């Protein structure tokens, strides 16, 4: 009886997980496709099968095209033809033949079919063609601003949630135009106490990485902005990658206000020009170093074990989904009596994901992690959590 009860509870529990994940995805729609094949030697049965296969292939092709923007499809067509489309039979969830018609030695069939969306997404991810790979990089700005007095910087007292200064506003606008996803640190701050070392003007790189992890950012733009009374502006900026714990690019720009600027607008004009120039330099240096860009999105197997309630599993899933920089999505994949598994799309590898989780101050409970010999990442809830 206890075994039966445990089995039933596990089934209910896993159903809740799957339903929660499915609710976040658009349901795959039915497709209506016409397939055509020539009738050879009067063999209607062979022609019928060929026409059905042709319709199913067309349906899968349409689903692939819908999940890829035109630029992706043009660049990745050869990979899709080689790696994804040959699997069309496995990607069709089900189909119904609605009507048949003969015309000029050919047989046409009208088919209603449904593509297995989860399997198609997995096939695209395995081939490096998933749309998530082009998700914008989340970037946190940590740039102090000094005018005539002491430097001003928001991480000195983050609980006060100081308003964005002029430098931050211009950085937000510029990097958003470049396709990044700037973190709004006013609304995104989790409200947690931080170590005193993380409040210093000149931070160690390790503290910068901690700030990035706290906000769920993939990159941090760190530096200083100096604005002198005569309007001259200097910018010292550096981009750091949270997952890789490394610097990606640096830029130093000094800009004077244009002679045509109004007297009360000289600072703003020079600062705007400096931000634009620095952003362009950083982009150029990132592009020049092919290894400096964000790591490719990979599908990782992640397991949680040692949990005692659905609440703990739900907290873990929410933490991975929204509290870990670089995670694009998380989907339940399997369940056992004492563990649950997920497929996690992550911009990096298992070692980088493990490092970010270990360093995160937002972990829902004490846990340890290890990478198994098969590459899967396993987290175990520590007994001290109970």
């Amino acid at each position: 009886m206890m075994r039966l009860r445990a089995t039933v509870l596990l089934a209910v529990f896993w159903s809740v997980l799957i339903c929660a994940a499915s609710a976040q995805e658009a349901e795959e729609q039915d497709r209506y496709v016409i397939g055509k094949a020539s009738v050879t030697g009067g063999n209607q049965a062979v022609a019928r099968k060929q026409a059905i296969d042709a319709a199913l292939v067309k349906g899968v092709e349409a689903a692939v095209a819908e999940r890829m923007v035109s630029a992706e499809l043009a660049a990745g067509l050869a990979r899709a033809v080689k790696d994804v489309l040959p699997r069309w039979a496995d990607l069709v969830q089900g189909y119904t033949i609605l009507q048949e018609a003969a015309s000029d030695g050919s047989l046409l069939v009208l088919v209603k079919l449904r593509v297995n969306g989860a399997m198609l997404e997995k096939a695209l991810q395995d081939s490096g063609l998933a749309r998530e790979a082009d998700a914008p990089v989340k970037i946190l700005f940590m740039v102090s601003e000094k005018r005539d007095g002491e430097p001003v910087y928001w991480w000195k007292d983050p609980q006060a949630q100081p308003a964005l200064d002029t430098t931050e506003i211009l950085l937000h606008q510029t990097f958003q135009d470049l396709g990044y996803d700037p973190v709004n640190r006013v609304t995104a701050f989790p409200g947690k106490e931080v170590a005193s070392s993380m409040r210093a003007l000149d931070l160690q790189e390790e503290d910068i990485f901690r700030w990035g992890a706290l906000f769920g950012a993939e990159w941090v733009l760190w530096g200083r902005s100096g604005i002198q009374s005569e309007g001259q502006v200097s910018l010292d900026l550096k981009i750091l990658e949270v997952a890789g714990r490394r610097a990606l690019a640096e830029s130093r720009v000094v800009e004077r206000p244009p002679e045509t600027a109004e007297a009360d607008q000289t600072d703003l004009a020079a600062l705007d020009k400096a931000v634009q120039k620095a952003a362009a330099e950083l982009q150029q240096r990132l592009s020049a170093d092919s290894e400096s860009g964000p790591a490719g999105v990979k599908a990782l197997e992640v397991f949680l074990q040692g949990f005692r309630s659905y609440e703990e599993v739900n907290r873990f899933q929410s933490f991975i989904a929204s509290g870990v920089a670089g995670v694009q999505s998380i989907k339940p994949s399997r369940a056992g009596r004492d563990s649950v598994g997920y497929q996690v799309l992550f911009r990096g590898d298992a070692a980088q994901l493990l490092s970010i989780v270990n360093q995160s101050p937002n972990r829902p409970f004490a846990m340890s992690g290890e990478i198994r010999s098969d590459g899967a990442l396993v987290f175990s809830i520590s007994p001290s959590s109970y």
Side-chain angles (χ1 to χ4, degrees):
M1 179 63 70
M2 289 296 294
R3 181 180 177 86
L4 176 61
R5 181 179 299 174
T7 302
V8 171
L9 287 175
L10 178 60
V12 173
F13 166 70
W14 192 241
S15 297
V16 172
L17 275 181
I18 294 296
C19 291
S22 300
Q24 299 174 2
E25 302 175 3
E27 183 179 354
E28 186 69 31
Q29 299 298 312
D30 290 333
R31 300 174 184 276
Y32 295 84
V33 188
I34 296 175
K36 181 179 179 181
S38 299
V39 180
T40 304
N43 196 330
Q44 294 278 340
V46 172
R48 186 172 185 270
K49 183 180 185 308
Q50 292 175 344
I52 293 171
D53 289 351
L56 300 182
V57 170
K58 287 170 67 175
V60 172
E61 289 174 345
V64 170
E66 287 176 5
R67 280 168 167 76
M68 301 170 65
V69 298
S70 58
E72 289 175 329
L73 188 57
L77 181 59
R79 255 182 301 163
V81 170
K82 177 184 176 184
D83 300 332
V84 180
L85 296 182
R87 300 170 57 184
W88 63 267
D90 297 328
L91 299 175
V92 175
Q93 183 172 319
Y95 70 92
T96 303
I97 300 172
L98 300 179
Q99 197 167 357
E100 300 180 21
S103 175
D104 298 329
S106 297
L107 182 67
L108 293 87
V109 294
L110 175 62
V111 174
K112 179 176 77 170
L113 67 93
R114 178 169 294 192
V115 173
N116 188 316
M119 290 189 66
L120 178 55
E121 289 293 336
K122 177 73 165 57
L124 291 171
Q125 291 155 16
D126 292 344
S127 301
L129 296 172
R131 179 175 294 179
E132 283 93 335
D134 286 332
V137 175
K138 291 183 68 174
I139 186 168
L140 173 67
F141 301 114
M142 300 187 70
V143 180
S144 63
E145 183 178 277
K146 181 179 180 180
R147 289 184 179 267
D148 295 322
E150 291 295 315
V152 175
Y153 55 102
W154 62 262
W155 58 95
K156 181 179 181 180
D157 186 11
Q159 278 85 358
Q161 296 183 328
L164 275 64
D165 57 38
T166 307
T167 302
E168 280 185 283
I169 292 172
L170 292 174
L171 287 170
H172 268 257
Q173 294 173 345
T174 301
F175 277 82
Q176 194 166 40
D177 290 343
L178 290 172
Y180 292 85
D181 181 14
V183 174
N184 186 337
R185 48 100 178 155
V186 176
T187 59
F189 181 62
K192 295 195 173 187
E193 285 292 332
V194 296
S196 58
S197 63
M198 295 174 64
R199 298 173 181 268
L201 172 62
D202 296 314
L203 294 176
Q204 299 295 318
E205 284 194 354
E206 192 58 35
D207 286 322
I208 298 175
F209 295 138
R210 288 194 180 101
W211 275 116
L214 188 64
F215 279 93
E218 297 170 68
W219 289 359
V220 176
L221 181 65
W222 160 259
R224 297 183 176 191
S225 168
I227 305 170
Q228 299 179 9
S229 56
E230 67 272 18
Q232 179 173 297
V233 170
S234 63
L235 276 180
D236 288 279
L237 302 177
K238 179 191 294 187
I239 290 180
L240 298 106
E241 183 186 40
V242 177
R245 304 189 105 64
R246 57 176 180 154
L248 301 180
E250 297 183 49
S251 173
R252 174 170 172 75
V253 172
V254 177
E255 193 67 39
R256 295 183 179 277
E259 297 179 359
T260 56
E262 298 292 334
D264 59 346
Q265 294 292 316
T266 55
D267 291 355
L268 180 60
L271 183 57
D272 186 26
K273 192 172 181 180
V275 167
Q276 297 284 344
K277 186 179 291 187
E281 285 186 4
L282 291 169
Q283 283 288 96
Q284 185 177 10
R285 285 163 188 169
L286 288 168
S287 300
D289 183 358
S290 59
E291 295 186 355
S292 292
V297 172
K298 299 177 182 177
L300 304 178
E301 272 199 303
V302 176
F303 292 88
L304 175 68
Q305 61 186 24
F307 57 87
R308 295 190 179 183
S309 67
Y310 169 70
E311 180 187 359
E312 289 177 339
V313 176
N314 193 38
R315 287 166 62 195
F316 175 78
Q317 182 172 334
S318 298
F319 163 66
I320 296 294
S322 59
V324 179
V327 169
Q328 309 297 303
S329 67
I330 176 172
K331 299 177 183 177
S333 60
R334 64 184 74 180
R337 297 182 65 181
D338 58 357
S339 70
V340 293
Y342 301 90
Q343 182 189 78
V344 177
L345 288 186
F346 176 66
R347 202 190 300 272
D349 57 27
Q352 291 174 322
L353 178 57
L354 176 59
S355 175
I356 292 177
V357 171
N358 285 341
Q359 295 288 333
S360 175
N362 298 322
R363 286 180 296 174
F365 33 69
M367 57 183 171
S368 59
E370 64 175 352
I371 301 174
R372 295 191 320 208
S373 58
D374 62 358
L377 181 54
V378 181
F379 290 100
S380 302
I381 299 180
S382 303
S384 60
S385 296
Y386 302 116

